[in-house]
Amino acid sequence: MEIPSEWLWIVIVSFIVSFVLAFGIGANDVANSFGTSVGAKVLTLVQACILGTIFEIAGAVLIGYKVSDTIRKGIIDVRPYNGTEDLLLLGNLSALSGSCLWLMIATFLRLPVSATHSIVGATVGFSLVAKGADGVGWVKLGMIVASWFISPLASGIITTLLFMFVRKLILDKENQLKRGLILLPFFYGITICINAFSIFHDGSTLLHFNKIPLYGVFVLSIGLGVLTAVVVRLFVVPWQRKKIKNEVLAIKQEEGEGEGGEKKSLASGLDIEIVVPDPVEKLQEGEASTKGHKLPAVDVINGNATNGSAGYAKATDTAKVFTDPEGRETLLGEKELDEKDDKKVEMDMQKGRDEIEDKPETKQLFSFLQILTAIFGSFAHGGNDVSNAIAPLVAVWMIAHEQSVAQKAPTPIWVLFYGGVGISVGLCVWGRRVIKTMGEDLSKITPSSGFCIEIGAAITVLVASKLGIPISTTHCKVGSIVTVGRVRSRSNVDWSLFRNIFIAWIVTLPASGAFSAVLMAIFKYAL
């Protein structure tokens, strides 16, 4: 059917607003996929934009073919709009506009928020004005509110366990390269397996993935994971070993042994790289004493350390002992250590951990893994979040063409492509704002912790979506970043920024709903 002339302006304006909304999603929501990779210096911002453009559009077209009915017809009951299709058209235009306004405001403030929750709030907002509270799915809304807490907690727990596993088996060991290469096939295999399952299960109708039975999905996913692990073991591991050793050798030759008679050493235990003046008077064995004056906190703590001038420190698992040039000992970490010194010690310990995780061999081991998980995340984001976000536009197009609220026709692929292009433009033009928040400002991220964040969040989203729990990818990523940052060091998280982000999550539903409701009221009573 042709679009009635009196509805044509609604369709045209909806396409314009939806592109701006897609722009906002690209500038805000896509930071989920590439923020940690950029923050860990694995990808540059330009590289992230290029990869994001390719895989967001590919995901939207290939696996976003079946747009979620939850947004278009699940949050509100569309049946009461039979005979008043123009009201539903105006409502969807209001939802697009309200969500767009909120996303642009959040992006300007550098706050990562959920595009899907923004659309849900805007949809509820126009429905309350148009038909009152009767048609709203309050149970689904209640589940979304619960997800504000479930998403970051669940993702944080899974990511933390994974990071502790990686730290225990690789990062805390002296032979990081050897151990890392042994586990590399497992990491690649599990990454491919998890992401393959998320794509195949209830997947694209265009690619007929939706016809694959559950056992077939398991066979395909596990099979691809095992095949990947074998290929990595036979070909990637020898190549990585040779490449990493050559790079490390080149770095050592460039840096030498240091300057001014100082000699770098790397102790185990707390994983802190230290600089020990040579010569140095060693601390005698025996119990530590807390007598003597308080001294400035040592610069580095791990077995041996110095306060930057003179003296000698020795660390145990529970205490840090400092001996000044006059032989006085101070036990750091006890109650008498003031807050300033304690914070300095913590910062120095964190600096050493960063140096361990930023070692060339460690970075190389996890860098490509993190890029791989970011690409999968971008592809999945294009197929899921993008489809939900442009659902009001799809609804406008279908209702206008069918002149019915039923919306039975399949989603046109070109509409999904249109949304994918808008998202890519937003990522390239304005995406650096939220990417900086996710990748740099909220917490320090290294390739190893970034990989754990990506996989932990992906597992959480996959399991929750299959259980029917509507959680947000944004909330999962933020929860993972914060919890891993806290595990790495209590001073490694910007808690004031996290507070602002959490407030933005809570405000998203009512804010986008309020914008949408105001616009719907104007359309309903002014037109």
Side-chain angles (χ1 to χ4, degrees):
M1 293 184 183
E2 288 189 6
I3 299 174
S5 58
E6 63 270 22
W7 292 354
L8 188 59
W9 75 270
I10 300 176
V11 176
I12 294 173
V13 174
S14 294
F15 268 90
I16 296 171
V17 174
S18 68
F19 190 87
V20 180
L21 171 60
F23 179 96
I25 294 170
N28 193 297
D29 221 28
V30 180
N32 298 332
S33 301
F34 291 101
T36 55
S37 299
V38 174
K41 306 297 187 293
V42 171
L43 289 174
T44 65
L45 188 59
V46 173
Q47 290 170 335
C49 289
I50 293 172
L51 290 174
T53 299
I54 295 170
F55 289 98
E56 289 285 337
I57 294 177
V61 173
L62 294 177
I63 63 174
Y65 186 72
K66 182 181 178 182
V67 178
S68 174
D69 286 341
T70 301
I71 302 298
R72 286 194 288 135
K73 295 179 284 186
I75 298 300
I76 62 169
D77 186 0
V78 297
R79 289 174 299 178
Y81 293 90
N82 274 317
T84 57
E85 285 80 7
D86 56 338
L87 198 61
L88 186 55
L89 285 173
L90 290 170
N92 279 291
L93 175 56
S94 301
L96 286 168
S97 304
S99 179
C100 177
L101 281 170
W102 171 244
L103 273 177
M104 299 301 280
I105 291 171
T107 304
F108 177 77
L109 298 174
R110 302 177 186 268
L111 298 174
V113 296
S114 170
T116 303
H117 288 188
S118 180
I119 286 287
V120 169
T123 303
V124 171
F126 90 74
S127 179
L128 290 173
V129 173
K131 294 292 182 179
D134 293 339
V136 178
W138 295 108
V139 174
K140 285 187 173 66
L141 275 180
M143 294 178 69
I144 289 173
V145 171
S147 76
W148 294 340
F149 306 94
I150 296 172
S151 297
L153 283 176
S155 184
I157 291 171
I158 293 173
T159 302
T160 299
L161 292 174
L162 181 60
F163 180 71
M164 291 174 70
F165 172 79
V166 170
R167 173 184 274 183
K168 184 72 174 176
L169 293 184
I170 300 177
L171 301 179
D172 279 354
K173 304 300 181 181
E174 293 182 2
N175 52 346
Q176 291 181 9
L177 179 59
K178 181 180 178 181
R179 286 178 170 270
L181 289 173
I182 291 173
L183 291 172
L184 199 62
F186 169 76
F187 288 144
Y188 272 94
I190 199 70
T191 299
I192 295 295
C193 180
I194 291 169
N195 286 285
F197 188 93
S198 67
I199 291 172
F200 290 134
H201 189 238
D202 290 335
S204 169
T205 55
L206 180 65
L207 300 177
H208 304 292
F209 289 164
N210 61 314
K211 296 179 181 178
I212 302 175
L214 184 60
Y215 74 86
V217 173
F218 275 109
V219 170
L220 280 171
S221 303
I222 296 174
L224 283 173
V226 172
L227 180 63
T228 300
V230 171
V231 171
V232 169
R233 178 64 188 86
L234 293 177
F235 301 104
V236 178
V237 168
W239 171 71
Q240 282 275 54
R241 181 185 290 111
K242 182 178 179 180
K243 180 185 176 186
I244 292 172
K245 285 185 175 180
N246 289 338
E247 288 189 2
V248 172
L249 181 62
I251 292 172
K252 286 182 177 179
Q253 289 175 345
E254 183 179 341
E255 292 181 350
E257 286 190 349
E259 298 178 0
E262 291 186 350
K263 184 178 178 181
K264 287 190 176 181
S265 99
L266 187 64
S268 57
L270 294 175
D271 290 329
I272 305 299
E273 187 174 7
I274 62 171
V275 179
V276 181
D278 193 14
V280 65
E281 185 177 328
K282 297 204 179 249
L283 179 70
Q284 298 298 319
E285 292 291 331
E287 298 207 0
S289 167
T290 57
K291 296 178 182 179
H293 304 291
K294 289 184 181 178
L295 300 171
V298 292
D299 287 337
V300 282
I301 301 173
N302 183 36
N304 301 329
T306 131
N307 70 342
S309 56
Y312 179 84
K314 181 175 181 178
T316 67
D317 289 338
T318 57
K320 300 82 168 176
V321 183
F322 183 86
T323 301
D324 69 7
E326 298 179 10
R328 294 173 299 197
E329 298 175 358
T330 302
L331 182 63
L332 303 181
E334 292 286 71
K335 291 182 179 179
E336 69 270 19
L337 183 64
D338 62 35
E339 185 178 348
K340 181 179 179 181
D341 283 350
D342 193 44
K343 184 177 180 180
K344 179 68 166 59
V345 169
E346 177 66 26
M347 290 174 65
D348 290 332
M349 292 171 66
Q350 181 56 45
K351 180 181 177 182
R353 292 192 184 101
D354 289 345
E355 289 173 351
I356 289 292
E357 295 179 30
D358 283 336
K359 288 175 65 178
E361 54 265 48
T362 310
K363 290 180 68 174
Q364 285 292 331
L365 280 171
F366 289 98
S367 290
F368 188 75
L369 273 170
Q370 192 177 2
I371 295 172
L372 187 66
T373 54
I375 287 172
F376 272 112
S378 179
F379 186 75
H381 182 272
N384 297 308
D385 294 51
V386 175
S387 300
N388 288 337
I390 65 170
L393 174 63
V394 177
V396 167
W397 179 256
M398 288 184 176
I399 293 168
H401 260 280
E402 299 174 8
Q403 298 175 29
S404 167
V405 299
Q407 308 170 47
K408 293 180 180 179
T411 303
I413 293 179
W414 63 268
V415 176
L416 294 169
F417 182 81
Y418 176 78
V421 170
I423 284 170
S424 300
V425 173
L427 170 64
C428 295
V429 174
W430 220 21
R432 64 185 181 279
R433 300 181 69 86
V434 174
I435 283 179
K436 187 174 185 299
T437 297
M438 293 284 281
E440 299 177 19
D441 298 344
L442 189 57
S443 178
K444 160 80 175 178
I445 297 175
T446 61
S448 54
S449 63
F451 163 70
C452 296
I453 289 166
E454 297 283 356
I455 288 293
I459 292 173
T460 307
V461 172
L462 176 62
V463 173
S465 63
K466 302 314 172 189
L467 293 176
I469 304 172
I471 67 175
S472 165
T473 307
T474 303
H475 299 178
C476 288
K477 284 287 178 70
V478 171
S480 294
I481 291 170
V482 169
T483 51
V484 168
R486 179 62 182 86
V487 167
R488 294 182 69 241
S489 168
R490 63 188 176 191
S491 63
N492 196 35
V493 178
D494 187 338
W495 293 106
S496 62
L497 177 58
F498 176 67
R499 178 200 63 209
N500 294 339
I501 291 172
F502 189 80
I503 292 172
W505 292 352
I506 297 173
V507 171
T508 293
L509 269 174
S512 58
F515 290 142
S516 177
V518 170
L519 289 170
M520 187 61 195
I522 294 173
F523 290 147
K524 182 178 180 181
Y525 298 110
L527 300 179

